[in-house]
Amino acid sequence: MINFSLVDVKSITSNEPRSNFAEADLENLADIIIETGGIIRPLVLKVTGVESYTVVDGHFEYYAAVRAREKNPRQGEMVNACVIAPKVEDLVVKQVVSLKGIDFSGKPVTSELETTKLEPRLANLELRLEKQFNEFKSEFIQERQRIDSQFKQLENLIPQKGEHSNPLSLLNSLDKDELSIKLQRARISGAEKLAQAIEDARHKKPKQEFEDYRDVVKSVKNLGDKTILTIIDEWSRS
């Protein structure tokens, strides 16, 4: 008789060495097991004691399930299994051997079954990861384009009343105290520290000045895109 059950991974052992399987393949299948919530093909187990079992078929899936449990104990705690009764053990083993394409002398007829059964699942996982990466990359590019467009729009709105009315000129010419005052008036948080950072970064430039606003953001520590946009907007009004 064969019983289908959920079995705790901790209660299962295998007489086939884990080293027979590539760790990268076990790692990939473990991630899939965690993602899908279990193994698709049940292990075939025989009882070896009270709440203890050994693998008859599915050694690769077993070790992948062990790895899944190591990575996520809650998701990988139980596995689907066919638990065979001792009186039909020999018949089940023969069935397993037959399905694997191995003759009863132990010589493999074909080795393609084990090497190909994981390929579709790995291919699907790779496609999903590639899709997610491309979506993230597209969103990043769109956000960068949006910020660059804002820079250009604000630069076009800056009144040309003279050199010192331009925020970039002010960032290049004001000393630390003057920068701090103007930053405070623009309601920029941490104005004193930011003023010091701007002055320090400016002095490190070859010509002691920033080339453009992008150069300011790149050179000044803790100065983000939103802050420089606020500075440009506020200072261009004064």
Side-chain angles (χ1 to χ4, degrees):
M1 178 179 290
I2 300 176
N3 294 318
F4 290 87
S5 308
L6 282 175
V7 179
D8 192 328
V9 175
K10 292 192 301 182
S11 65
I12 306 172
T13 59
S14 170
N15 57 12
E16 187 166 339
R18 179 168 175 165
S19 58
N20 286 358
F21 308 103
E23 285 297 327
D25 292 341
L26 293 175
E27 192 77 17
N28 286 332
L29 183 54
D31 290 336
I32 294 172
I33 290 172
I34 293 171
E35 183 178 352
T36 58
I39 58 176
I40 297 175
R41 192 182 72 154
L43 305 180
V44 179
L45 308 176
K46 69 176 181 178
V47 179
T48 56
V50 179
E51 296 297 325
S52 63
Y53 310 87
T54 189
V55 179
V56 175
D57 182 48
H59 300 276
F60 176 73
E61 289 86 349
Y62 161 69
Y63 283 117
V66 171
R67 180 59 185 138
R69 190 180 188 282
E70 291 171 353
K71 300 180 73 172
N72 190 325
R74 294 184 63 184
Q75 285 288 98
E77 183 178 9
M78 310 294 286
V79 290
N80 299 319
C82 302
V83 181
I84 59 178
K87 63 182 180 181
V88 296
E89 179 181 327
D90 291 341
L91 293 174
V92 172
V93 170
K94 288 182 179 180
Q95 183 181 152
V96 168
V97 170
S98 178
L99 289 173
K100 282 191 171 184
I102 304 175
D103 63 28
F104 293 121
S105 67
K107 297 180 180 179
V109 176
T110 175
S111 60
E112 294 182 359
L113 180 62
E114 290 296 325
T115 57
T116 60
K117 63 185 178 183
L118 188 60
E119 290 180 358
R121 284 175 284 177
L122 294 180
N124 288 336
L125 178 60
E126 184 178 354
L127 288 173
R128 289 199 299 272
L129 291 175
E130 183 178 1
K131 180 180 178 182
Q132 291 175 356
F133 174 78
N134 289 334
E135 289 176 350
F136 174 79
K137 181 179 179 181
S138 177
E139 291 175 0
F140 177 81
I141 292 174
Q142 290 177 5
E143 180 65 14
R144 177 55 61 188
Q145 290 174 343
R146 185 187 65 81
I147 292 173
D148 288 342
S149 177
Q150 285 184 309
F151 272 126
K152 291 179 181 179
Q153 291 176 10
L154 286 172
E155 288 174 348
N156 292 334
L157 292 174
I158 295 173
Q160 304 299 319
K161 298 178 181 178
E163 180 182 358
H164 293 290
S165 66
N166 187 313
L168 183 61
S169 297
L170 295 174
L171 290 167
N172 280 328
S173 60
L174 299 180
D175 62 26
K176 180 187 68 175
D177 294 334
E178 293 171 327
L179 285 168
S180 179
I181 292 173
K182 286 194 71 65
L183 290 171
Q184 290 176 15
R185 290 176 179 174
R187 299 181 294 280
I188 303 298
S189 61
E192 292 184 5
K193 291 183 178 180
L194 182 56
Q196 182 67 63
I198 292 172
E199 186 177 61
D200 291 343
R202 187 177 67 203
H203 289 163
K204 293 178 182 179
K205 309 301 290 186
K207 296 181 180 180
Q208 300 288 296
E209 64 179 24
F210 303 108
E211 296 179 5
D212 51 35
Y213 295 113
R214 182 63 64 196
D215 186 28
V216 178
V217 175
K218 181 179 178 181
S219 304
V220 179
K221 185 178 180 180
N222 297 326
L223 177 61
D225 292 329
K226 292 183 179 180
T227 302
I228 191 63
L229 288 172
T230 301
I231 292 172
I232 295 172
D233 186 34
E234 293 292 330
W235 288 10
S236 63
R237 297 176 185 175
S238 58

